[in-house]
Amino acid sequence: MNHTSFGHPIPSPPPIDRAAPPAGLYVHLPFCVAHCPYCDFVVYAGSQARGPRARTERLYAAVDRELELRADALDERFGPGRPNLETLYFGGGTPSLVPGEWLERLMATVRLRYGLAPDAEVTLEANPGPDERGDLAAFAAAGVNRVSFGAQSLNAAELRRLGRRHSPEDVAAAVAGARAAGIGSVNLDLLYDAPGQTVAGWEAMLRAALDLGPDHLSLYALTLDDPDAEGLTGAAGDHLPTAPGARRWREAARREQDDDRAADQYRLASELLAATGWRGYEISNWARPGHESRHNLTYWERRPYEAAGPGAHAFDGVGRRWNAAGLERYIGALLPAEGSAALPPGDGEIISPNTAAAERTILALRLDRGVPASWADGSPASDAFAWAQANGLLEPVDLDGEARLRLTLRGRLLSNELLARLV
Ligand code: SF4
């Protein structure tokens, strides 16, 4: 049955016990002009990203090679004729630093070895600054039809505090540039619970963002994690160690965070965007109808995706694997001085059926269509569901004749408490 009352079909629960070919492909391009102090993505900045010692050409060639090797492995595993990709996502880092010719080459490899559906969503993350947003016309010509700009703020003082290189005016110019290039879907990332913010300033920022005419907004609370303490930065780790300066910055910023202010900011965004016809289709993501991120829905719907690039994660329906974050070992494996190319170092895990069921529920609850009410019956999650309904975190809804349970606004604000009970 195809339910459409929320603007997107509600799929049957995805399989959790069967490996399947990827529906999407994530490609991690890790270079940034400068490293923002709060960021713990796999990023190589400064002289590794620009100038005579840059590692960019080698990395792009290595990613191209990895795409080939991963495609060989998929051919072997699933045979020829697997379905074309529905989504392709270039994330980073700042993928918009990639020269147009390299993007074309990577896209050609993807088209040839994976196949791209005619209506595939092809997203590229970009920074708004004039020397970072890249050649948007070349990206569009290569097939990019969605751009996600890392705006983070539209307030000049906040941007400086966050260590960002662009101005609010650059964000406006970047959106206009994407439109002029014919890119049909534009996202802006914005941060709340950032140091120095006020709720009134946040409202002004949201209104200014809407005035720029984007199609999608990702609103994230600033998270200040410590990948070293979490054990994610070893030889096979998918994160890089945190620099001492970034550690100090995070400690200072953490002192200026405020849960109550963050809740007010979230509530305000939810109400303002709903009042202007936007759909909060996921806890942190809002879209004008038809502009939901199909690639990110692949993750939330727990469908299989392939991945390439340092630190990138893939999921095949039964297990997860990831590449190690280190650049030299990544390039060394794929472009060896002698001998044949090998897949880069990394690690992986098979997900147990119980963990898979919990993941499926947790991810589905992030979406505004929630889960079938039957998932609460007699399952290990039934106590958590009953607690959440009794405390106003979950509400029953009828979507096209199907009884479902979904998070209320209060539930979105307190989702971590429910999710912890589901693990
Ligand atoms: S530009 Fe984006 S990816 Fe690069 S360091 Fe800053 S936040 Fe991280």
Side-chain angles (χ1 to χ4, degrees):
M1 194 187 329
N2 198 25
H3 304 278
T4 54
S5 62
F6 267 59
H8 190 278
I10 294 169
S12 304
I16 56 171
D17 56 357
R18 186 171 59 82
L25 169 63
Y26 175 81
V27 180
H28 191 80
L29 302 180
F31 298 108
C32 289
V33 175
H35 201 152
C36 308
Y38 58 87
C39 174
D40 57 16
F41 294 137
V42 174
V43 163
Y44 292 91
S47 62
Q48 306 206 68
R50 292 208 293 197
R53 288 165 40 219
R55 307 292 286 147
T56 46
E57 294 285 314
R58 298 277 290 162
L59 184 276
Y60 299 143
V63 169
D64 197 44
R65 195 77 194 95
E66 187 189 358
L67 288 170
E68 295 273 9
L69 295 182
R70 298 276 177 214
D72 290 344
L74 290 170
D75 287 346
E76 208 166 291
R77 194 168 178 200
F78 298 109
R82 61 180 188 275
N84 289 334
L85 295 173
E86 297 167 34
T87 65
L88 170 61
Y89 194 104
F90 293 96
T94 307
S96 54
L97 297 178
V98 71
E101 317 81 70
W102 265 115
L103 189 74
E104 255 178 50
R105 181 164 153 190
L106 296 174
M107 292 281 299
T109 301
V110 171
R111 283 200 178 91
L112 189 66
R113 298 302 316 277
Y114 296 77
L116 261 184
D119 67 342
E121 177 192 89
V122 182
T123 302
L124 182 114
E125 289 181 352
N127 269 350
D131 61 343
E132 295 174 276
R133 58 181 175 257
D135 187 344
L136 292 163
F139 301 153
V144 170
N145 51 29
R146 181 173 186 273
V147 171
S148 177
F149 286 114
Q152 314 311 351
S153 174
L154 295 174
N155 174 297
E158 266 176 44
L159 285 167
R160 277 194 300 277
R161 176 77 195 270
L162 290 166
R164 304 297 306 217
R165 302 176 66 252
H166 61 268
S167 67
E169 294 73 28
D170 291 334
V171 179
V175 173
R179 295 303 190 201
I183 291 170
S185 214
V186 173
N187 171 59
L188 296 178
D189 283 351
L190 294 174
L191 286 173
Y192 65 96
D193 202 15
Q197 277 185 336
T198 63
V199 177
W202 171 245
E203 178 173 359
M205 192 197 303
L206 285 175
R207 291 188 187 280
L210 289 173
D211 285 347
L212 297 179
D215 306 291
H216 189 284
L217 289 172
S218 294
L219 309 180
Y220 298 114
L222 177 66
T223 50
L224 300 167
D225 295 331
D226 185 344
D228 300 302
E230 291 169 49
L232 304 173
T233 56
D238 57 350
H239 282 66
L240 295 168
T242 308
R247 191 176 293 284
R248 284 193 296 276
W249 188 96
R250 291 177 202 192
E251 279 161 15
R254 218 172 270 129
R255 288 194 288 274
E256 289 186 54
Q257 292 194 294
D258 179 338
D259 287 349
D260 291 338
R261 181 188 63 195
D264 287 345
Q265 289 177 300
Y266 187 87
R267 198 175 293 112
L268 188 142
S270 299
E271 289 167 0
L272 190 148
L273 292 170
T276 44
W278 285 59
R279 174 185 170 201
Y281 70 102
E282 194 270 344
I283 285 184
S284 303
N285 288 279
W286 285 258
R288 296 198 300 111
H291 288 273
E292 298 83 2
S293 165
R294 288 167 57 200
H295 185 81
N296 289 339
L297 279 165
T298 303
Y299 302 150
W300 298 315
E301 289 169 351
R302 216 168 171 278
R303 298 174 69 205
Y305 51 89
E306 188 52 278
H313 278 234
F315 173 64
D316 67 3
V318 291
R320 206 165 275 119
R321 61 147 196 90
W322 54 89
N323 291 336
L327 189 64
E328 291 310 322
R329 290 173 69 213
Y330 179 85
I331 293 174
L334 289 154
L335 305 177
E338 295 177 358
S340 45
L343 287 169
D347 209 342
E349 61 185 1
I350 297 293
I351 302 163
S352 74
N354 282 349
T355 304
E359 271 185 18
R360 181 176 59 152
T361 304
I362 287 169
L363 290 169
L365 280 173
R366 296 185 65 93
L367 298 171
D368 65 349
R369 56 193 185 229
V371 302
S374 58
W375 288 16
D377 295 340
S379 74
S382 58
D383 287 350
F385 276 85
W387 172 85
Q389 275 192 271
N391 287 282
L393 275 65
L394 278 179
E395 64 182 357
V397 282
D398 186 308
L399 296 184
D400 288 345
E402 186 182 29
R404 300 183 71 91
L405 289 167
R406 70 174 176 199
L407 291 176
T408 58
L409 177 57
R410 176 177 158 77
R412 285 180 165 214
L413 287 166
L414 299 174
S415 59
N416 286 343
E417 291 196 27
L418 169 59
L419 304 187
R421 287 166 190 252
L422 287 166
V423 180

